[in-house]
Amino acid sequence: MKIEIEYCVPCGYLDRAIEAQRALLTTFGGAVESVALVTGEKGVFTFRADGDTIYAKPDEYDITQIVEAVKARLAA
């Protein structure tokens, strides 16, 4: 599974994106192919798993829910 975290550069979301990337890599390690950071703009903060959106701002950001969504996809 490939995970993408697209974040808004002008908004300063890089730190949040790095923290989320670290949490996903720590939790799933070799079970995922990659957790890539993708630069964006206009307020974007979106997580995709194999191209499918699993989180998109303005939804309430909760890394625990994102981890659970990835876990469910891996189990399927």
Side-chain angles (χ1 to χ4, degrees), residues 16-46:
R16 184 185 290 186
I18 290 171
E19 289 172 10
Q21 181 186 43
R22 180 176 288 120
L24 291 166
L25 288 170
T26 299
T27 303
F28 299 108
V32 295
E33 187 175 333
S34 64
V35 180
L37 299 180
V38 179
T39 58
E41 54 186 34
K42 299 183 180 178
V44 69
F45 194 58
T46 302

